[in-house]
Amino acid sequence: MLRKRSRLMAAPVAAVALTLTVAGYQAHASGSSDATGGHRSGKAAAAAPCLAGATTLIGDLDGDGRPDKISNPGHTGLRTTVQWGTASGSFGAKTSVSKLIGKRTGEVATAVVADFQKDGTLDIVVNIVEPSGGDDPNKARVAQYRPGPLKRSNLSSAHARHSDIGDHGEAKQLRVANYGNDAYPDLAILNNDGDGVWERSVRLTKPGSGPGEYSYEQQQRYGASGTPAEPPSMPTSGWKHFYKPCS
């Protein structure tokens, strides 16, 4: 009898948690403004992104002013999903980001979401590569920084640009990091660098332009090397450095 009652209670509890998450985001939105003290013109007011758990980010990904839900199990960027926000304040079904960005059979897709430009709309960095299966890494078929807002159909951006993360190794993971100790999220990449070397590569974010290009100086300061058996450590809670809990 107790088990049956617990199951009956599970759905209402989940519904309450969802309502509180959206309400928390909307509370952020009601107080968000641009540098002049008013909401941005020409688009719905967007709240600052917030955390609904260690691996779940709530924020506006498509620029419609409604909260969307991004989940990134393990913070690796390999199993990221998105649930689009609805007019009723709920979230739609989970959709694989790998599927949306066009991963083909045999390829590995990694994606990391954050508000890299601090403009209230989430951005995405994507990398798609077919693993070489050996020591010599393949270059990425797709490696882009895509500033928001993003299209729901394929997560494309009107201002997408090439990222060199796919030119300096075979990306295994993408993660949000905090190397600059500022308000702008940085990027950590776990790379197959070739000849049995796995590398933690870094890209620091420049205000107004998103993650930058490879820098030898930054790599020497923040990067690390390892092997497939003992890979370099990677950031485990990058979002927490930049976003507060929703409630």
Side-chain angles (χ1 to χ4, degrees):
M1 185 68 181
L2 181 59
R3 289 184 179 178
K4 183 176 181 181
R5 184 178 180 183
S6 298
R7 287 196 297 269
L8 291 173
M9 291 174 63
V13 169
V16 170
L18 175 61
T19 301
L20 289 174
T21 296
V22 175
Y25 178 91
Q26 291 172 338
H28 281 281
S30 65
S32 64
S33 60
D34 61 20
T36 65
H39 291 298
R40 294 179 182 87
S41 60
K43 63 184 292 187
C50 59
L51 290 173
T55 60
T56 302
L57 184 65
I58 305 296
D60 187 9
L61 197 58
D62 60 354
D64 64 358
R66 298 171 184 161
D68 304 307
K69 187 176 184 179
I70 300 92
S71 297
N72 184 11
H75 295 285
T76 63
L78 294 167
R79 296 183 292 150
T80 306
T81 61
V82 60
Q83 293 172 258
W84 299 108
T86 68
S88 66
S90 61
F91 298 108
K94 282 187 178 181
T95 303
S96 166
V97 166
S98 294
K99 181 178 180 180
L100 287 173
I101 63 177
K103 182 183 84 72
R104 300 171 183 170
T105 301
E107 292 181 328
V108 172
T110 50
V112 63
V113 173
D115 184 4
F116 289 101
Q117 296 195 31
K118 290 287 291 179
D119 60 0
T121 301
L122 294 172
D123 315 314
I124 193 169
V125 178
V126 302
N127 189 91
I128 304 176
V129 63
E130 182 176 354
S132 65
D135 284 340
D136 296 326
N138 283 340
K139 284 192 174 183
R141 177 173 66 84
V142 177
Q144 289 185 327
Y145 166 57
R146 301 178 180 181
L150 307 178
K151 288 186 178 180
R152 288 193 175 197
S153 59
N154 58 7
L155 298 182
S156 63
S157 167
H159 303 287
R161 63 170 170 80
H162 174 75
S163 172
D164 70 352
I165 60 174
D167 302 335
H168 294 266
E170 189 178 285
K172 300 292 185 181
Q173 297 179 11
L174 296 179
R175 300 194 184 211
V176 172
N178 181 28
Y179 296 121
N181 290 318
D182 55 23
Y184 297 89
D186 302 310
L187 194 62
I189 309 102
L190 180 62
N191 271 332
N192 172 8
D193 202 40
D195 297 326
V197 176
W198 280 26
E199 178 183 70
R200 182 180 71 231
S201 186
V202 303
R203 301 292 186 278
L204 270 64
T205 296
K206 299 178 180 179
S209 63
E213 296 183 347
Y214 175 87
S215 162
Y216 177 81
E217 179 182 353
Q218 293 172 357
Q219 185 63 27
Q220 291 300 303
R221 184 173 182 180
Y222 303 112
S225 296
T227 66
E230 296 183 359
S233 63
M234 297 291 288
T236 57
S237 57
W239 277 342
K240 286 186 177 181
H241 292 288
F242 304 99
Y243 309 119
K244 298 178 180 179
C246 295
S247 57

